[in-house]
Structure formats: structure tokens, C-alpha cells
Amino acid sequence: MTTPVTREITPFDGQKPGTSGLRKKTGVFMLEGYVEAFVQSIFDAIEGCEGKTFVVGGDGRYFNAEAIQTILRMAAANGAARCIVGQGGLLSTPAASNLIRQREANGGLILSASHNPGGIDEDFGLKYNTANGGPAPESVTGAIFENTKTISRYVTLETPDLDLSALGEVAPGDMVVEVVDPVTDYAALMETLFDFDAIRALLAGGFAVKFDAMHAVTGPYAHEILENRLGAPKGTVLNGTPKVDFGKGHPDPNPIWAKPLVDLVMSEDGPDFAAASDGDGDRNMILGKGVYVTPSDSLAVLAANAHLAPGYARGLAGVARSMPTSRAADRVAEKLGIGCYETPTGWKFFGNLLDAGKATLCGEESAGTGSDHVREKDGLWAVLLWLNVLAVRKMSVADILRDHWQTFGRNYYSRHDYEAVETEKANAVVEGLVAKLDGLPGTGVAGLTVEEADQFAYLDPVDGSVSEKQGLRVMFRGGSRAVMRLSGTGTEGATIRVYLERYVPAEGDLEIETQQALAEIVLAVEELTQLRAITGRAEPDVMT
Ligand code: VG1
Ligand code: CO
């Protein structure tokens, strides 16, 4: 039946979008009516679907295929004109962002819980992106959440599942579903930004590369771009076939979850360059022979070298980073004489800066880097920009890093995560520090002196909107800093993130082991927050 039917429904608690859309245990998303309640709340928040075009796709995790069918039926019943869907329901987050922009769609629904594990007992997620290709801003996610509290009906069709395995158009009701190759348009965009000939020559000269797709969505993209178009040998892409459970791993490109790749580059005969991406393809980890590049350093190095790639040859308008990201990029922006912006965590805050032409490159300490080519962070894009820079500078990754530090100084940096902490305890840690902030400036902690302490609030320079309570900052004399905030992407208890940074100028010691360089700040954080005492955790679960 292609006549829309209206079904009654009662609201679900907690359908509140977090840092990047709604994330819950897969079993929660599978509750009868759960996806429907959230999707109808989205459609109502954007004033309906009549005549609109949406891009729909996901990272291929468990329940991706079923949720897409639900969304397509509802979009058709709500009057949408067209949905552009990746073949097999697959689209990386940056590729979805690109399609929204290229096809001038009204928005997109992206199914992903990103770096969180997938499977029936793991995590699922859904987020809405607006017409600029970027994650919906807080005004929209707020309206969606308000709708979820009172939703009483949804509209759908009673049609069988569509076959999304073949390219072409199908029509459930009056809406056209266009199944597209998920890779083609994205790969074409990459060719406009980078010097593929130079990268091809680098690879042909024996420069060895490994890319770990972590059994997630970037596999097909990396096979096509790195192996087919750039001529890297077969086997360059590891774990390149997307699996619904990501091979039971955490598709999180960091030294913990991508340890085999890190071990490989640290070995005698390891590759010259290696990288990994996450579940939905928007994150990246960069490694060189013998070195791990922190995401904060990666942003700074890319900002300093982007002009070497054709797409950025005109130079950068500005650089933006999330507040917890190290201030290494700020030093580059200062030297280049370009704008520098500090935003709250989450890519949605970069959208206005990119749209207004204020920032060209953006980055987050959580392995996210991107540019104004789309409105999401982009894992493979970062890999290609690095390769382009390496092809032009003809230096090793380690030498490029060393050269960078010798020019700008080094921002030693690490993030310590305490995961699945009981919510009450996590709140007690945060509230304890909040209560102290005002009295901290001028006091001594674990041998350091506090210069400033505050709760970060962001005034968007483009639309004037204000976002408060975006993390606690303690700045120490000499340029060190500790930041603390609670994660907005977890699905179990609370995750406390502690971000540690220490600046050493170019003439100082640039070769200290990172955790050792930050040890004093760790002690200061404990003295200030009693985090480990309150949570009973002796160690962080993850250090990146
Ligand atoms: C985390 C990261 C943040 C990132 C977000 C979404 O958020 O810290 O930098 O933008 O994940 O990335 P939180 O609130 O857990 O710290 V992804 O690749 O999960 O879409
Ligand atoms: Co992601």
C-alpha cells in the first residue's frame, strides 16, 4: 500500500541528541516505535518533508539496514520527493555530507554510532544533518528533542522492504529512492583537492603505506582511492570489508583500539606511513615509521603545510579547533596571520565558521580533522592531505614533526578517559571542581600555579548563539592546561575525559615521553578533583 498510514505512539524517554546525534544501545533502537518516534520528531522539527530531498546512509553496523527501510517509508509517507541512498545502505559520514551539498539536498539522516562498537548488544546511532551538509546545530537538535517528549503519532507506508543492492531508482509511493555508489562522488571530490600524480609517484617510489579500515565503512573508499586510483599495492588496505559488528572490535582509531597498526609502524620493517579511520569514516589516526602523531599535532602540521596541496594553494582563511584540542594549531595560525577559533566539542560548532568562510581547516583532539570541502570531519581526506604533504616535502613523518616542533615549540598532549563511571560519581567529580573554579587563580597545585580557571562558554561569532557549560578549564602558569568534561556520545554511565597539555618552546626539551611530560598535570588534576579517589579508578581506561 502506498497510501500513508498514521500510527499512534507514546514518547520514549531520553531521545536527546548528544555531541553527535542520538546514541543508544542497539536494543533500545530496536524497541518497537523507537526509530519511528525519533525520525518523526526530526521531520516535525524541520517543518515536514513535503517535496524535500534527503540523503540517507550509514556505517553498515548491525540494524543499519532495518533502520534505513523505516526511514525511507516514513520519508515517503511524509511527502519527501527523493531520497539518495548509498548502495547497500552504506555511506561514510563525510561522503554523506558531500552528497547533501553536491545534490543540494535539504538534509540527511546518517546512521552511525561512529567509533562505538556495533552489534545487537553494542551501540547504534542516528543523526540529522542540515542542507549545508553539517550536523544539525543546537537550535535544531533542541527542537527535535522537544518533539520527542510529546510525539503522539508517526506517518509511514505499509510497503515491503526496498532492494538497495542495485544502483538506480525505485519508487515507494510518490517518492523516488535513488541508490548511488557510495564512493564515486567522494573520490571525485578528493581528486579535485589533492595532487594525485604526486602521491602516485611517491607510492611508486616504494613509500610504503598501510591503512586500517577497522572492518568499518572506509574499506570500500580506501580500496578505490588508495589502491585503485593511487596505485598502492593490494594489501595496503587492512580490514577493508565492512562488517556489521566491525569484527567485534572498537572501530576507534587510537593507539589502544588500533594497537596492531601502531605495533606495525613501531617495528623494524614497518611502513613509512600508516593511518586508520573509525566506524563512519570521519576520524583519522596518523602514524609514521616509529611515531604516533597526536591529532592536535596533526591539525597543526596540516595547517602549516596545507598550501602544498592544490585545493589549499591559495592559503587558509583560518583554523578552528575544539576547546580541549591542544593549542598547537593556534601557533601556526598566529604565524600565518590568519583567524583562529576555539569552539565547543563536536563538529556541529564548526559549521557556521566554515559556511562564513572564516575557517578553512578544523580539528578536534579526538582524531577529527577536516576542511571546508564538506561539513564533517573526514578521515581519508586527512590521510590524503598528509600523503600530499609528504610527496611534496620528501621527508619522513618523524622529520616533519620534529621540524614543526623546532619551529613552533611542542604542545605535549594526552587525553585520559575514565569510562562507564557511575553517573552520580562522575557528576560529583565535575561539580566539585566547578565549585572551586573561582577561587583557583593564584593558588598552587602540585607544584603548579593556576593562572585562570573557568567553565568554557562559546559565543558563535556568526549567529551570536551562546553555548554554555562546555567543559572546565584550568590554565597553569607557563602554558600548561587541564580540561575536564563529560562525554556526550557514551551509552553506559558517564565517561570523564581529562585533557592534559603542556607547552615546551622550540629551544626546550622536545623529546620527552608524553605521559612523563604530563605527569605533574595529572597530579594537579587529582589534587583538584579527587577524581581517582571518588571513582575508585587507579588508572584511566584509555589514554590517547
Ligand atoms: C566525542 C569526541 C568529539 C567528537 C564526537 C563525535 O564526543 O570527543 O570530539 O566530535 O565524539 O565524533 P564526546 O562528547 O564523547 O567527547 V564521532 O567520530 O563519534 O561522530
Ligand atoms: Co566518527
Side-chain angles (χ1 to χ4, degrees):
M1 275 300 295
T2 54
T3 317
V5 292
T6 300
R7 297 212 180 108
E8 286 185 9
I9 196 166
T10 49
F12 291 87
D13 274 345
Q15 289 196 324
K16 186 176 184 353
T19 312
S20 182
L22 183 66
R23 298 224 178 136
K24 297 285 174 198
K25 286 284 163 210
T26 310
V28 173
F29 267 98
M30 290 170 75
L31 294 172
E32 202 184 325
Y34 194 89
V35 170
E36 288 85 344
F38 190 64
V39 171
Q40 190 66 52
S41 297
I42 294 173
F43 289 158
D44 293 348
I46 58 170
E47 281 154 25
C49 297
E50 210 50 53
K52 290 184 178 173
T53 296
F54 297 105
V55 169
V56 185
D59 62 12
R61 70 181 59 222
Y62 186 87
F63 196 56
N64 193 64
E66 293 83 348
I68 287 182
Q69 297 289 347
T70 304
I71 291 168
L72 294 177
R73 281 188 195 100
M74 289 181 63
N78 278 273
R82 179 176 288 264
C83 280
I84 302 164
V85 186
Q87 189 175 19
L90 287 186
L91 276 179
S92 78
T93 291
S97 181
N98 178 48
L99 272 179
I100 295 170
R101 297 166 65 75
Q102 249 180 21
R103 300 293 303 274
E104 295 181 11
N106 299 85
L109 292 103
I110 303 179
L111 300 92
S112 170
S114 191
H115 56 291
N116 299 14
I120 192 164
D121 297 320
E122 300 292 353
D123 294 349
F124 194 79
L126 176 54
K127 72 171 172 175
Y128 182 70
N129 281 30
T130 49
N132 73 345
E138 283 192 325
S139 54
V140 178
T141 55
I144 295 169
F145 180 48
E146 285 309 310
N147 287 345
T148 67
K149 295 179 192 167
T150 55
I151 190 96
S152 59
R153 57 93 190 88
Y154 67 89
V155 198
T156 190
L157 300 183
E158 289 173 333
T159 47
D161 282 357
L162 293 171
D163 177 9
L164 303 177
S165 66
L167 301 179
E169 294 189 351
V170 278
D174 295 330
M175 183 181 83
V176 175
V177 173
E178 181 185 342
V179 181
V180 300
D181 181 90
V183 178
T184 310
D185 291 336
Y186 176 83
L189 174 67
M190 293 301 117
E191 296 221 30
T192 67
L193 298 173
F194 303 114
D195 186 346
F196 271 46
D197 287 337
I199 301 175
R200 208 174 284 122
L202 175 78
L203 299 177
F207 186 87
V209 170
K210 289 282 180 206
F211 178 85
D212 190 346
M214 303 191 85
H215 306 285
V217 79
T218 44
Y221 296 85
H223 278 301
E224 172 61 19
I225 295 171
L226 298 176
E227 294 177 354
N228 296 348
R229 299 196 185 196
L230 290 168
K234 293 268 170 277
T236 295
V237 178
L238 309 170
N239 305 314
T241 305
K243 295 194 179 146
V244 290
D245 64 353
F246 308 123
K248 303 221 181 307
H250 264 257
D252 194 350
N254 65 34
I256 311 285
W257 299 115
K259 188 163 184 304
L261 193 69
V262 178
D263 291 345
L264 190 66
V265 293
M266 297 302 167
S267 68
E268 270 297 287
D269 50 358
D272 300 294
F273 177 88
S277 191
D278 70 333
D280 61 330
D282 56 359
R283 295 187 180 203
N284 71 91
M285 175 175 67
I286 301 294
L287 302 156
K289 200 176 186 62
V291 285
Y292 161 68
V293 183
T294 69
S296 295
D297 275 349
S298 178
L299 174 65
V301 169
L302 293 180
N305 292 281
H307 62 280
L308 301 175
Y312 306 93
R314 281 176 297 133
L316 309 176
V319 182
R321 59 162 177 83
S322 68
M323 182 275 281
T325 305
S326 100
R327 291 161 296 178
D330 302 24
R331 299 182 183 276
V332 178
E334 198 186 340
K335 183 166 176 217
L336 295 176
I338 58 175
C340 184
Y341 301 88
E342 183 176 44
T343 59
T345 294
W347 212 261
K348 59 177 172 253
F349 294 102
F350 293 130
N352 279 345
L353 296 171
L354 292 164
D355 285 350
K358 287 181 177 294
T360 311
L361 292 201
C362 303
E364 293 194 280
E365 54 63 44
S366 54
T369 6
S371 88
D372 58 359
H373 68 292
V374 289
R375 293 293 179 274
E376 290 277 5
K377 53 191 188 269
D378 189 344
L380 263 172
W381 167 89
V383 171
L384 293 170
L385 182 49
W386 262 97
L387 287 174
N388 199 146
V389 169
L390 290 162
V392 174
R393 291 193 63 182
K394 302 190 177 14
M395 289 161 73
S396 69
V397 175
D399 285 346
I400 285 187
L401 256 192
R402 201 163 297 123
D403 175 62
H404 189 90
W405 297 334
Q406 284 166 358
T407 309
F408 296 97
R410 179 170 179 184
N411 291 68
Y412 286 96
Y413 188 85
S414 181
R415 188 182 85 197
H416 291 187
D417 289 338
Y418 298 81
E419 294 178 341
V421 173
E422 289 143 80
T423 311
E424 272 172 27
K425 289 185 179 169
N427 289 338
V429 171
V430 171
E431 281 155 22
L433 182 56
V434 169
K436 280 188 188 169
L437 285 175
D438 287 348
L440 287 180
T443 61
V445 199
L448 298 169
T449 306
V450 178
E451 217 164 54
E452 280 175 69
D454 66 4
Q455 272 204 79
F456 180 58
Y458 179 61
L459 169 66
D460 186 309
V462 179
D463 67 13
S465 61
V466 174
S467 304
E468 286 175 336
K469 299 192 177 163
Q470 297 295 326
L472 312 181
R473 301 191 283 192
V474 180
M475 268 77 85
F476 300 101
R477 193 169 292 160
S480 294
R481 184 178 76 151
V483 170
M484 190 164 82
R485 58 180 282 281
L486 297 181
S487 157
T489 57
T491 58
E492 238 179 285
T495 292
I496 305 174
R497 301 202 196 282
V498 180
Y499 310 81
L500 310 155
E501 180 182 2
R502 173 176 156 201
Y503 178 65
V504 173
E507 51 286 358
D509 188 350
L510 302 175
E511 303 288 340
I512 317 170
E513 193 278 318
T514 300
Q515 296 305 327
Q516 198 186 323
L518 299 168
E520 264 190 340
I521 308 173
V522 173
L523 292 178
V525 169
E526 184 57 22
E527 194 177 316
L528 283 171
T529 64
Q530 278 89 56
L531 188 161
R532 294 182 183 189
I534 294 174
T535 59
R537 305 284 179 91
E539 292 280 316
D541 298 281
V542 174
M543 291 192 235
T544 60

